[in-house]
PDB file of all heavy atoms in Angstrom:
ATOM      1  N   LEU A 777       9.825   7.232  -2.284  1.00 62.00           N
ATOM      2  CA  LEU A 777       8.583   6.821  -1.650  1.00 62.00           C
ATOM      3  C   LEU A 777       8.058   7.882  -0.692  1.00 62.00           C
ATOM      4  O   LEU A 777       6.883   7.880  -0.336  1.00 62.00           O
ATOM      5  CB  LEU A 777       8.765   5.497  -0.919  1.00 62.00           C
ATOM      6  CG  LEU A 777       9.084   4.284  -1.795  1.00 62.00           C
ATOM      7  CD1 LEU A 777       8.895   3.006  -1.006  1.00 62.00           C
ATOM      8  CD2 LEU A 777       8.201   4.241  -3.039  1.00 62.00           C
ATOM      9  N   ARG A 778       8.928   8.786  -0.263  1.00 64.00           N
ATOM     10  CA  ARG A 778       8.471   9.869   0.594  1.00 64.00           C
ATOM     11  C   ARG A 778       8.004  11.073  -0.227  1.00 64.00           C
ATOM     12  O   ARG A 778       7.399  11.991   0.305  1.00 64.00           O
ATOM     13  CB  ARG A 778       9.601  10.275   1.554  1.00 64.00           C
ATOM     14  CG  ARG A 778       9.902   9.214   2.602  1.00 64.00           C
ATOM     15  CD  ARG A 778      10.921   9.712   3.618  1.00 64.00           C
ATOM     16  NE  ARG A 778      12.265   9.724   3.087  1.00 64.00           N
ATOM     17  CZ  ARG A 778      13.081   8.662   3.086  1.00 64.00           C
ATOM     18  NH1 ARG A 778      12.662   7.529   3.606  1.00 64.00           N
ATOM     19  NH2 ARG A 778      14.298   8.734   2.610  1.00 64.00           N
ATOM     20  N   ALA A 779       8.311  11.040  -1.527  1.00 66.00           N
ATOM     21  CA  ALA A 779       7.968  12.189  -2.377  1.00 66.00           C
ATOM     22  C   ALA A 779       6.879  11.873  -3.400  1.00 66.00           C
ATOM     23  O   ALA A 779       6.342  12.787  -4.010  1.00 66.00           O
ATOM     24  CB  ALA A 779       9.225  12.663  -3.118  1.00 66.00           C
ATOM     25  N   ALA A 780       6.560  10.605  -3.589  1.00 77.00           N
ATOM     26  CA  ALA A 780       5.598  10.215  -4.625  1.00 77.00           C
ATOM     27  C   ALA A 780       4.535   9.302  -4.024  1.00 77.00           C
ATOM     28  O   ALA A 780       4.665   8.081  -4.050  1.00 77.00           O
ATOM     29  CB  ALA A 780       6.326   9.513  -5.769  1.00 77.00           C
ATOM     30  N   PRO A 781       3.471   9.875  -3.466  1.00 79.00           N
ATOM     31  CA  PRO A 781       2.474   9.057  -2.768  1.00 79.00           C
ATOM     32  C   PRO A 781       1.787   8.042  -3.662  1.00 79.00           C
ATOM     33  O   PRO A 781       1.481   6.925  -3.225  1.00 79.00           O
ATOM     34  CB  PRO A 781       1.480  10.083  -2.219  1.00 79.00           C
ATOM     35  CG  PRO A 781       1.716  11.326  -3.019  1.00 79.00           C
ATOM     36  CD  PRO A 781       3.155  11.313  -3.377  1.00 79.00           C
ATOM     37  N   ARG A 782       1.521   8.392  -4.912  1.00 79.00           N
ATOM     38  CA  ARG A 782       0.841   7.443  -5.785  1.00 79.00           C
ATOM     39  C   ARG A 782       1.721   6.223  -6.025  1.00 79.00           C
ATOM     40  O   ARG A 782       1.243   5.079  -6.015  1.00 79.00           O
ATOM     41  CB  ARG A 782       0.473   8.105  -7.119  1.00 79.00           C
ATOM     42  CG  ARG A 782      -0.411   7.231  -8.007  1.00 79.00           C
ATOM     43  CD  ARG A 782      -0.802   7.985  -9.276  1.00 79.00           C
ATOM     44  NE  ARG A 782      -1.807   7.261 -10.035  1.00 79.00           N
ATOM     45  CZ  ARG A 782      -1.525   6.303 -10.911  1.00 79.00           C
ATOM     46  NH1 ARG A 782      -0.270   5.944 -11.118  1.00 79.00           N
ATOM     47  NH2 ARG A 782      -2.496   5.701 -11.581  1.00 79.00           N
ATOM     48  N   PHE A 783       3.010   6.441  -6.258  1.00 82.00           N
ATOM     49  CA  PHE A 783       3.928   5.331  -6.468  1.00 82.00           C
ATOM     50  C   PHE A 783       4.068   4.504  -5.193  1.00 82.00           C
ATOM     51  O   PHE A 783       4.098   3.274  -5.227  1.00 82.00           O
ATOM     52  CB  PHE A 783       5.293   5.846  -6.934  1.00 82.00           C
ATOM     53  CG  PHE A 783       6.280   4.761  -7.242  1.00 82.00           C
ATOM     54  CD1 PHE A 783       6.083   3.926  -8.328  1.00 82.00           C
ATOM     55  CD2 PHE A 783       7.384   4.561  -6.445  1.00 82.00           C
ATOM     56  CE1 PHE A 783       6.994   2.916  -8.616  1.00 82.00           C
ATOM     57  CE2 PHE A 783       8.299   3.555  -6.721  1.00 82.00           C
ATOM     58  CZ  PHE A 783       8.092   2.739  -7.818  1.00 82.00           C
ATOM     59  N   THR A 784       4.162   5.187  -4.049  1.00 85.00           N
ATOM     60  CA  THR A 784       4.235   4.490  -2.765  1.00 85.00           C
ATOM     61  C   THR A 784       3.027   3.588  -2.576  1.00 85.00           C
ATOM     62  O   THR A 784       3.141   2.431  -2.158  1.00 85.00           O
ATOM     63  CB  THR A 784       4.284   5.511  -1.612  1.00 85.00           C
ATOM     64  OG1 THR A 784       5.385   6.387  -1.806  1.00 85.00           O
ATOM     65  CG2 THR A 784       4.431   4.810  -0.273  1.00 85.00           C
ATOM     66  N   HIS A 785       1.858   4.115  -2.906  1.00 86.00           N
ATOM     67  CA  HIS A 785       0.613   3.361  -2.789  1.00 86.00           C
ATOM     68  C   HIS A 785       0.683   2.093  -3.644  1.00 86.00           C
ATOM     69  O   HIS A 785       0.307   0.983  -3.200  1.00 86.00           O
ATOM     70  CB  HIS A 785      -0.548   4.252  -3.227  1.00 86.00           C
ATOM     71  CG  HIS A 785      -1.889   3.776  -2.808  1.00 86.00           C
ATOM     72  ND1 HIS A 785      -2.690   3.001  -3.623  1.00 86.00           N
ATOM     73  CD2 HIS A 785      -2.601   3.963  -1.666  1.00 86.00           C
ATOM     74  CE1 HIS A 785      -3.825   2.737  -2.999  1.00 86.00           C
ATOM     75  NE2 HIS A 785      -3.803   3.309  -1.815  1.00 86.00           N
ATOM     76  N   GLY A 786       1.173   2.232  -4.873  1.00 86.00           N
ATOM     77  CA  GLY A 786       1.284   1.076  -5.766  1.00 86.00           C
ATOM     78  C   GLY A 786       2.274   0.052  -5.267  1.00 86.00           C
ATOM     79  O   GLY A 786       2.034  -1.159  -5.344  1.00 86.00           O
ATOM     80  N   VAL A 787       3.420   0.520  -4.745  1.00 88.00           N
ATOM     81  CA  VAL A 787       4.437  -0.391  -4.216  1.00 88.00           C
ATOM     82  C   VAL A 787       3.880  -1.205  -3.054  1.00 88.00           C
ATOM     83  O   VAL A 787       4.026  -2.434  -2.991  1.00 88.00           O
ATOM     84  CB  VAL A 787       5.694   0.387  -3.775  1.00 88.00           C
ATOM     85  CG1 VAL A 787       6.611  -0.493  -2.927  1.00 88.00           C
ATOM     86  CG2 VAL A 787       6.451   0.902  -4.991  1.00 88.00           C
ATOM     87  N   LEU A 788       3.223  -0.526  -2.125  1.00 91.00           N
ATOM     88  CA  LEU A 788       2.647  -1.232  -0.981  1.00 91.00           C
ATOM     89  C   LEU A 788       1.592  -2.242  -1.437  1.00 91.00           C
ATOM     90  O   LEU A 788       1.491  -3.346  -0.893  1.00 91.00           O
ATOM     91  CB  LEU A 788       2.039  -0.237   0.001  1.00 91.00           C
ATOM     92  CG  LEU A 788       3.026   0.707   0.697  1.00 91.00           C
ATOM     93  CD1 LEU A 788       2.282   1.691   1.596  1.00 91.00           C
ATOM     94  CD2 LEU A 788       4.065  -0.063   1.507  1.00 91.00           C
ATOM     95  N   GLY A 789       0.839  -1.868  -2.465  1.00 91.00           N
ATOM     96  CA  GLY A 789      -0.170  -2.786  -2.996  1.00 91.00           C
ATOM     97  C   GLY A 789       0.440  -4.013  -3.640  1.00 91.00           C
ATOM     98  O   GLY A 789      -0.079  -5.130  -3.518  1.00 91.00           O
ATOM     99  N   LEU A 790       1.559  -3.818  -4.336  1.00 92.00           N
ATOM    100  CA  LEU A 790       2.251  -4.956  -4.938  1.00 92.00           C
ATOM    101  C   LEU A 790       2.721  -5.930  -3.867  1.00 92.00           C
ATOM    102  O   LEU A 790       2.521  -7.154  -3.978  1.00 92.00           O
ATOM    103  CB  LEU A 790       3.443  -4.455  -5.756  1.00 92.00           C
ATOM    104  CG  LEU A 790       4.407  -5.522  -6.284  1.00 92.00           C
ATOM    105  CD1 LEU A 790       3.684  -6.497  -7.206  1.00 92.00           C
ATOM    106  CD2 LEU A 790       5.583  -4.871  -7.006  1.00 92.00           C
ATOM    107  N   PHE A 791       3.324  -5.404  -2.803  1.00 95.00           N
ATOM    108  CA  PHE A 791       3.798  -6.285  -1.738  1.00 95.00           C
ATOM    109  C   PHE A 791       2.618  -6.911  -0.987  1.00 95.00           C
ATOM    110  O   PHE A 791       2.699  -8.080  -0.576  1.00 95.00           O
ATOM    111  CB  PHE A 791       4.720  -5.523  -0.791  1.00 95.00           C
ATOM    112  CG  PHE A 791       6.112  -5.371  -1.318  1.00 95.00           C
ATOM    113  CD1 PHE A 791       6.494  -4.246  -2.035  1.00 95.00           C
ATOM    114  CD2 PHE A 791       7.052  -6.375  -1.123  1.00 95.00           C
ATOM    115  CE1 PHE A 791       7.773  -4.114  -2.539  1.00 95.00           C
ATOM    116  CE2 PHE A 791       8.337  -6.249  -1.610  1.00 95.00           C
ATOM    117  CZ  PHE A 791       8.698  -5.123  -2.326  1.00 95.00           C
ATOM    118  N   ALA A 792       1.534  -6.170  -0.818  1.00 95.00           N
ATOM    119  CA  ALA A 792       0.345  -6.752  -0.188  1.00 95.00           C
ATOM    120  C   ALA A 792      -0.167  -7.929  -1.011  1.00 95.00           C
ATOM    121  O   ALA A 792      -0.567  -8.965  -0.457  1.00 95.00           O
ATOM    122  CB  ALA A 792      -0.743  -5.693  -0.037  1.00 95.00           C
ATOM    123  N   THR A 793      -0.141  -7.780  -2.327  1.00 95.00           N
ATOM    124  CA  THR A 793      -0.544  -8.877  -3.207  1.00 95.00           C
ATOM    125  C   THR A 793       0.374 -10.083  -3.022  1.00 95.00           C
ATOM    126  O   THR A 793      -0.089 -11.222  -2.926  1.00 95.00           O
ATOM    127  CB  THR A 793      -0.520  -8.425  -4.673  1.00 95.00           C
ATOM    128  OG1 THR A 793      -1.507  -7.409  -4.867  1.00 95.00           O
ATOM    129  CG2 THR A 793      -0.808  -9.580  -5.615  1.00 95.00           C
ATOM    130  N   GLY A 794       1.690  -9.825  -2.990  1.00 95.00           N
ATOM    131  CA  GLY A 794       2.640 -10.912  -2.806  1.00 95.00           C
ATOM    132  C   GLY A 794       2.417 -11.664  -1.512  1.00 95.00           C
ATOM    133  O   GLY A 794       2.399 -12.902  -1.479  1.00 95.00           O
ATOM    134  N   TYR A 795       2.227 -10.928  -0.422  1.00 96.00           N
ATOM    135  CA  TYR A 795       1.990 -11.568   0.874  1.00 96.00           C
ATOM    136  C   TYR A 795       0.661 -12.333   0.874  1.00 96.00           C
ATOM    137  O   TYR A 795       0.568 -13.435   1.427  1.00 96.00           O
ATOM    138  CB  TYR A 795       1.995 -10.527   1.990  1.00 96.00           C
ATOM    139  CG  TYR A 795       3.372 -10.168   2.480  1.00 96.00           C
ATOM    140  CD1 TYR A 795       3.958  -8.942   2.161  1.00 96.00           C
ATOM    141  CD2 TYR A 795       4.109 -11.057   3.274  1.00 96.00           C
ATOM    142  CE1 TYR A 795       5.235  -8.613   2.609  1.00 96.00           C
ATOM    143  CE2 TYR A 795       5.379 -10.735   3.730  1.00 96.00           C
ATOM    144  CZ  TYR A 795       5.931  -9.515   3.398  1.00 96.00           C
ATOM    145  OH  TYR A 795       7.197  -9.197   3.839  1.00 96.00           O
ATOM    146  N   ALA A 796      -0.361 -11.759   0.250  1.00 95.00           N
ATOM    147  CA  ALA A 796      -1.662 -12.428   0.222  1.00 95.00           C
ATOM    148  C   ALA A 796      -1.589 -13.724  -0.577  1.00 95.00           C
ATOM    149  O   ALA A 796      -2.133 -14.755  -0.163  1.00 95.00           O
ATOM    150  CB  ALA A 796      -2.718 -11.497  -0.370  1.00 95.00           C
ATOM    151  N   LEU A 797      -0.917 -13.687  -1.730  1.00 94.00           N
ATOM    152  CA  LEU A 797      -0.764 -14.896  -2.529  1.00 94.00           C
ATOM    153  C   LEU A 797       0.005 -15.971  -1.768  1.00 94.00           C
ATOM    154  O   LEU A 797      -0.277 -17.170  -1.896  1.00 94.00           O
ATOM    155  CB  LEU A 797      -0.046 -14.579  -3.843  1.00 94.00           C
ATOM    156  CG  LEU A 797      -0.842 -13.789  -4.880  1.00 94.00           C
ATOM    157  CD1 LEU A 797       0.064 -13.331  -6.019  1.00 94.00           C
ATOM    158  CD2 LEU A 797      -2.002 -14.623  -5.432  1.00 94.00           C
ATOM    159  N   ALA A 798       0.985 -15.530  -0.959  1.00 93.00           N
ATOM    160  CA  ALA A 798       1.806 -16.469  -0.190  1.00 93.00           C
ATOM    161  C   ALA A 798       1.100 -16.970   1.064  1.00 93.00           C
ATOM    162  O   ALA A 798       1.657 -17.795   1.797  1.00 93.00           O
ATOM    163  CB  ALA A 798       3.129 -15.811   0.180  1.00 93.00           C
ATOM    164  N   GLY A 799      -0.099 -16.470   1.324  1.00 93.00           N
ATOM    165  CA  GLY A 799      -0.862 -16.955   2.456  1.00 93.00           C
ATOM    166  C   GLY A 799      -0.712 -16.159   3.738  1.00 93.00           C
ATOM    167  O   GLY A 799      -1.331 -16.488   4.753  1.00 93.00           O
ATOM    168  N   ASP A 800       0.119 -15.109   3.723  1.00 95.00           N
ATOM    169  CA  ASP A 800       0.284 -14.273   4.919  1.00 95.00           C
ATOM    170  C   ASP A 800      -0.735 -13.136   4.845  1.00 95.00           C
ATOM    171  O   ASP A 800      -0.406 -11.986   4.509  1.00 95.00           O
ATOM    172  CB  ASP A 800       1.715 -13.735   4.994  1.00 95.00           C
ATOM    173  CG  ASP A 800       2.033 -13.075   6.330  1.00 95.00           C
ATOM    174  OD1 ASP A 800       1.077 -12.738   7.057  1.00 95.00           O
ATOM    175  OD2 ASP A 800       3.228 -12.892   6.646  1.00 95.00           O
ATOM    176  N   LEU A 801      -1.971 -13.447   5.174  1.00 96.00           N
ATOM    177  CA  LEU A 801      -3.047 -12.466   5.039  1.00 96.00           C
ATOM    178  C   LEU A 801      -2.929 -11.348   6.064  1.00 96.00           C
ATOM    179  O   LEU A 801      -3.346 -10.211   5.795  1.00 96.00           O
ATOM    180  CB  LEU A 801      -4.399 -13.164   5.167  1.00 96.00           C
ATOM    181  CG  LEU A 801      -4.698 -14.266   4.148  1.00 96.00           C
ATOM    182  CD1 LEU A 801      -6.135 -14.748   4.311  1.00 96.00           C
ATOM    183  CD2 LEU A 801      -4.451 -13.789   2.727  1.00 96.00           C
ATOM    184  N   ASP A 802      -2.357 -11.641   7.230  1.00 97.00           N
ATOM    185  CA  ASP A 802      -2.204 -10.591   8.251  1.00 97.00           C
ATOM    186  C   ASP A 802      -1.277  -9.485   7.752  1.00 97.00           C
ATOM    187  O   ASP A 802      -1.583  -8.296   7.909  1.00 97.00           O
ATOM    188  CB  ASP A 802      -1.651 -11.194   9.545  1.00 97.00           C
ATOM    189  CG  ASP A 802      -2.679 -12.053  10.274  1.00 97.00           C
ATOM    190  OD1 ASP A 802      -3.885 -11.882   9.993  1.00 97.00           O
ATOM    191  OD2 ASP A 802      -2.279 -12.890  11.094  1.00 97.00           O
ATOM    192  N   GLU A 803      -0.155  -9.863   7.157  1.00 96.00           N
ATOM    193  CA  GLU A 803       0.774  -8.853   6.634  1.00 96.00           C
ATOM    194  C   GLU A 803       0.141  -8.102   5.468  1.00 96.00           C
ATOM    195  O   GLU A 803       0.318  -6.888   5.330  1.00 96.00           O
ATOM    196  CB  GLU A 803       2.081  -9.507   6.191  1.00 96.00           C
ATOM    197  CG  GLU A 803       3.130  -8.529   5.685  1.00 96.00           C
ATOM    198  CD  GLU A 803       3.595  -7.533   6.730  1.00 96.00           C
ATOM    199  OE1 GLU A 803       3.502  -7.848   7.943  1.00 96.00           O
ATOM    200  OE2 GLU A 803       4.052  -6.432   6.354  1.00 96.00           O
ATOM    201  N   ALA A 804      -0.596  -8.817   4.642  1.00 96.00           N
ATOM    202  CA  ALA A 804      -1.285  -8.162   3.522  1.00 96.00           C
ATOM    203  C   ALA A 804      -2.274  -7.117   4.039  1.00 96.00           C
ATOM    204  O   ALA A 804      -2.329  -5.990   3.522  1.00 96.00           O
ATOM    205  CB  ALA A 804      -2.002  -9.198   2.671  1.00 96.00           C
ATOM    206  N   ARG A 805      -3.037  -7.467   5.068  1.00 97.00           N
ATOM    207  CA  ARG A 805      -4.001  -6.513   5.631  1.00 97.00           C
ATOM    208  C   ARG A 805      -3.287  -5.312   6.260  1.00 97.00           C
ATOM    209  O   ARG A 805      -3.776  -4.179   6.182  1.00 97.00           O
ATOM    210  CB  ARG A 805      -4.877  -7.213   6.672  1.00 97.00           C
ATOM    211  CG  ARG A 805      -5.821  -8.266   6.095  1.00 97.00           C
ATOM    212  CD  ARG A 805      -6.824  -8.724   7.158  1.00 97.00           C
ATOM    213  NE  ARG A 805      -7.491  -9.943   6.757  1.00 97.00           N
ATOM    214  CZ  ARG A 805      -7.114 -11.172   7.135  1.00 97.00           C
ATOM    215  NH1 ARG A 805      -6.069 -11.332   7.923  1.00 97.00           N
ATOM    216  NH2 ARG A 805      -7.793 -12.229   6.740  1.00 97.00           N
ATOM    217  N   ALA A 806      -2.153  -5.556   6.912  1.00 96.00           N
ATOM    218  CA  ALA A 806      -1.407  -4.455   7.521  1.00 96.00           C
ATOM    219  C   ALA A 806      -0.933  -3.473   6.450  1.00 96.00           C
ATOM    220  O   ALA A 806      -0.997  -2.244   6.633  1.00 96.00           O
ATOM    221  CB  ALA A 806      -0.224  -5.002   8.313  1.00 96.00           C
ATOM    222  N   LEU A 807      -0.459  -4.000   5.328  1.00 95.00           N
ATOM    223  CA  LEU A 807      -0.017  -3.132   4.243  1.00 95.00           C
ATOM    224  C   LEU A 807      -1.198  -2.375   3.639  1.00 95.00           C
ATOM    225  O   LEU A 807      -1.085  -1.184   3.305  1.00 95.00           O
ATOM    226  CB  LEU A 807       0.685  -3.958   3.165  1.00 95.00           C
ATOM    227  CG  LEU A 807       2.075  -4.462   3.544  1.00 95.00           C
ATOM    228  CD1 LEU A 807       2.541  -5.532   2.568  1.00 95.00           C
ATOM    229  CD2 LEU A 807       3.074  -3.314   3.572  1.00 95.00           C
ATOM    230  N   LEU A 808      -2.331  -3.034   3.512  1.00 95.00           N
ATOM    231  CA  LEU A 808      -3.517  -2.361   2.990  1.00 95.00           C
ATOM    232  C   LEU A 808      -3.974  -1.248   3.926  1.00 95.00           C
ATOM    233  O   LEU A 808      -4.420  -0.183   3.471  1.00 95.00           O
ATOM    234  CB  LEU A 808      -4.643  -3.381   2.782  1.00 95.00           C
ATOM    235  CG  LEU A 808      -4.467  -4.296   1.556  1.00 95.00           C
ATOM    236  CD1 LEU A 808      -5.417  -5.478   1.626  1.00 95.00           C
ATOM    237  CD2 LEU A 808      -4.684  -3.503   0.274  1.00 95.00           C
ATOM    238  N   ALA A 809      -3.839  -1.462   5.232  1.00 94.00           N
ATOM    239  CA  ALA A 809      -4.183  -0.411   6.187  1.00 94.00           C
ATOM    240  C   ALA A 809      -3.259   0.791   6.024  1.00 94.00           C
ATOM    241  O   ALA A 809      -3.702   1.957   6.105  1.00 94.00           O
ATOM    242  CB  ALA A 809      -4.100  -0.953   7.617  1.00 94.00           C
ATOM    243  N   SER A 810      -1.969   0.545   5.771  1.00 91.00           N
ATOM    244  CA  SER A 810      -1.023   1.640   5.527  1.00 91.00           C
ATOM    245  C   SER A 810      -1.411   2.416   4.270  1.00 91.00           C
ATOM    246  O   SER A 810      -1.310   3.646   4.221  1.00 91.00           O
ATOM    247  CB  SER A 810       0.392   1.087   5.375  1.00 91.00           C
ATOM    248  OG  SER A 810       0.832   0.482   6.563  1.00 91.00           O
ATOM    249  N   MET A 811      -1.865   1.679   3.244  1.00 90.00           N
ATOM    250  CA  MET A 811      -2.291   2.331   2.014  1.00 90.00           C
ATOM    251  C   MET A 811      -3.519   3.207   2.256  1.00 90.00           C
ATOM    252  O   MET A 811      -3.607   4.320   1.727  1.00 90.00           O
ATOM    253  CB  MET A 811      -2.582   1.274   0.949  1.00 90.00           C
ATOM    254  CG  MET A 811      -1.375   0.434   0.562  1.00 90.00           C
ATOM    255  SD  MET A 811      -1.808  -0.982  -0.465  1.00 90.00           S
ATOM    256  CE  MET A 811      -2.140  -0.155  -2.022  1.00 90.00           C
ATOM    257  N   ASP A 812      -4.451   2.708   3.054  1.00 89.00           N
ATOM    258  CA  ASP A 812      -5.642   3.504   3.356  1.00 89.00           C
ATOM    259  C   ASP A 812      -5.281   4.778   4.118  1.00 89.00           C
ATOM    260  O   ASP A 812      -5.848   5.846   3.872  1.00 89.00           O
ATOM    261  CB  ASP A 812      -6.623   2.664   4.173  1.00 89.00           C
ATOM    262  CG  ASP A 812      -7.239   1.534   3.370  1.00 89.00           C
ATOM    263  OD1 ASP A 812      -7.197   1.600   2.130  1.00 89.00           O
ATOM    264  OD2 ASP A 812      -7.752   0.573   3.985  1.00 89.00           O
ATOM    265  N   SER A 813      -4.322   4.658   5.035  1.00 88.00           N
ATOM    266  CA  SER A 813      -3.884   5.836   5.796  1.00 88.00           C
ATOM    267  C   SER A 813      -3.249   6.867   4.873  1.00 88.00           C
ATOM    268  O   SER A 813      -3.481   8.075   5.010  1.00 88.00           O
ATOM    269  CB  SER A 813      -2.885   5.414   6.882  1.00 88.00           C
ATOM    270  OG  SER A 813      -3.485   4.545   7.812  1.00 88.00           O
ATOM    271  N   LEU A 814      -2.439   6.378   3.921  1.00 84.00           N
ATOM    272  CA  LEU A 814      -1.802   7.283   2.968  1.00 84.00           C
ATOM    273  C   LEU A 814      -2.846   8.004   2.130  1.00 84.00           C
ATOM    274  O   LEU A 814      -2.762   9.215   1.908  1.00 84.00           O
ATOM    275  CB  LEU A 814      -0.849   6.485   2.066  1.00 84.00           C
ATOM    276  CG  LEU A 814      -0.061   7.277   1.028  1.00 84.00           C
ATOM    277  CD1 LEU A 814       0.888   8.260   1.694  1.00 84.00           C
ATOM    278  CD2 LEU A 814       0.721   6.326   0.120  1.00 84.00           C
ATOM    279  N   SER A 815      -3.860   7.272   1.678  1.00 80.00           N
ATOM    280  CA  SER A 815      -4.916   7.873   0.865  1.00 80.00           C
ATOM    281  C   SER A 815      -5.691   8.926   1.655  1.00 80.00           C
ATOM    282  O   SER A 815      -6.151   9.923   1.096  1.00 80.00           O
ATOM    283  CB  SER A 815      -5.886   6.788   0.381  1.00 80.00           C
ATOM    284  OG  SER A 815      -5.220   5.844  -0.416  1.00 80.00           O
ATOM    285  N   ALA A 816      -5.865   8.691   2.947  1.00 79.00           N
ATOM    286  CA  ALA A 816      -6.614   9.640   3.775  1.00 79.00           C
ATOM    287  C   ALA A 816      -5.826  10.915   4.037  1.00 79.00           C
ATOM    288  O   ALA A 816      -6.404  11.993   4.199  1.00 79.00           O
ATOM    289  CB  ALA A 816      -6.980   8.977   5.107  1.00 79.00           C
ATOM    290  N   LEU A 817      -4.484  10.814   4.057  1.00 78.00           N
ATOM    291  CA  LEU A 817      -3.647  11.965   4.386  1.00 78.00           C
ATOM    292  C   LEU A 817      -3.354  12.853   3.184  1.00 78.00           C
ATOM    293  O   LEU A 817      -3.265  14.069   3.301  1.00 78.00           O
ATOM    294  CB  LEU A 817      -2.323  11.481   4.993  1.00 78.00           C
ATOM    295  CG  LEU A 817      -2.399  10.905   6.410  1.00 78.00           C
ATOM    296  CD1 LEU A 817      -1.048  10.290   6.788  1.00 78.00           C
ATOM    297  CD2 LEU A 817      -2.781  11.988   7.413  1.00 78.00           C
ATOM    298  N   ILE A 818      -3.191  12.227   2.018  1.00 76.00           N
ATOM    299  CA  ILE A 818      -2.748  12.968   0.833  1.00 76.00           C
ATOM    300  C   ILE A 818      -3.709  12.671  -0.313  1.00 76.00           C
ATOM    301  O   ILE A 818      -4.036  11.509  -0.580  1.00 76.00           O
ATOM    302  CB  ILE A 818      -1.314  12.546   0.421  1.00 76.00           C
ATOM    303  CG1 ILE A 818      -0.350  12.722   1.601  1.00 76.00           C
ATOM    304  CG2 ILE A 818      -0.844  13.347  -0.781  1.00 76.00           C
ATOM    305  CD1 ILE A 818       1.025  12.166   1.345  1.00 76.00           C
ATOM    306  N   GLU A 819      -4.124  13.701  -1.018  1.00 76.00           N
ATOM    307  CA  GLU A 819      -5.045  13.516  -2.131  1.00 76.00           C
ATOM    308  C   GLU A 819      -4.271  13.146  -3.390  1.00 76.00           C
ATOM    309  O   GLU A 819      -3.395  13.879  -3.840  1.00 76.00           O
ATOM    310  CB  GLU A 819      -5.848  14.805  -2.376  1.00 76.00           C
ATOM    311  CG  GLU A 819      -6.901  14.634  -3.464  1.00 76.00           C
ATOM    312  CD  GLU A 819      -7.748  15.886  -3.645  1.00 76.00           C
ATOM    313  OE1 GLU A 819      -7.650  16.795  -2.801  1.00 76.00           O
ATOM    314  OE2 GLU A 819      -8.493  15.934  -4.637  1.00 76.00           O
ATOM    315  N   PHE A 820      -4.588  11.992  -3.948  1.00 73.00           N
ATOM    316  CA  PHE A 820      -4.005  11.560  -5.215  1.00 73.00           C
ATOM    317  C   PHE A 820      -4.918  10.500  -5.814  1.00 73.00           C
ATOM    318  O   PHE A 820      -5.815   9.981  -5.143  1.00 73.00           O
ATOM    319  CB  PHE A 820      -2.584  11.003  -5.026  1.00 73.00           C
ATOM    320  CG  PHE A 820      -2.518   9.773  -4.160  1.00 73.00           C
ATOM    321  CD1 PHE A 820      -2.524   8.502  -4.714  1.00 73.00           C
ATOM    322  CD2 PHE A 820      -2.440   9.889  -2.781  1.00 73.00           C
ATOM    323  CE1 PHE A 820      -2.472   7.374  -3.911  1.00 73.00           C
ATOM    324  CE2 PHE A 820      -2.374   8.766  -1.976  1.00 73.00           C
ATOM    325  CZ  PHE A 820      -2.397   7.504  -2.538  1.00 73.00           C
ATOM    326  N   GLU A 821      -4.695  10.178  -7.074  1.00 73.00           N
ATOM    327  CA  GLU A 821      -5.506   9.183  -7.769  1.00 73.00           C
ATOM    328  C   GLU A 821      -4.781   7.852  -7.736  1.00 73.00           C
ATOM    329  O   GLU A 821      -3.799   7.643  -8.454  1.00 73.00           O
ATOM    330  CB  GLU A 821      -5.749   9.614  -9.225  1.00 73.00           C
ATOM    331  CG  GLU A 821      -6.716   8.720  -9.978  1.00 73.00           C
ATOM    332  CD  GLU A 821      -8.142   8.834  -9.480  1.00 73.00           C
ATOM    333  OE1 GLU A 821      -8.493   9.883  -8.905  1.00 73.00           O
ATOM    334  OE2 GLU A 821      -8.900   7.865  -9.655  1.00 73.00           O
ATOM    335  N   PRO A 822      -5.211   6.884  -6.900  1.00 76.00           N
ATOM    336  CA  PRO A 822      -4.497   5.618  -6.797  1.00 76.00           C
ATOM    337  C   PRO A 822      -4.748   4.729  -8.011  1.00 76.00           C
ATOM    338  O   PRO A 822      -5.781   4.824  -8.681  1.00 76.00           O
ATOM    339  CB  PRO A 822      -5.079   4.981  -5.538  1.00 76.00           C
ATOM    340  CG  PRO A 822      -6.460   5.541  -5.451  1.00 76.00           C
ATOM    341  CD  PRO A 822      -6.362   6.942  -5.999  1.00 76.00           C
TER     342      PRO A 822
END
């Protein structure tokens, strides 16, 4: 996860989906914010 940003992005998105489906929208938003930060720091195709 420290070497593959695209995969990291997908993993965080999967867990964000899980939390959102389970009703924990705050945790889902926090994970989405982490994904946005990753996208801003490193150029890759999510």
Side-chain angles (χ1 to χ4, degrees):
L777 295 194
R778 291 186 284 275
R782 188 177 189 275
F783 183 68
T784 303
H785 197 266
V787 166
L788 294 177
L790 171 60
F791 280 93
T793 295
Y795 277 107
L797 289 170
D800 191 342
L801 301 186
D802 288 340
E803 182 62 25
R805 292 190 195 96
L807 287 166
L808 285 166
S810 296
M811 298 170 74
D812 291 341
S813 297
L814 182 64
S815 299
L817 288 172
I818 305 172
E819 184 177 349
F820 63 95
E821 187 69 25

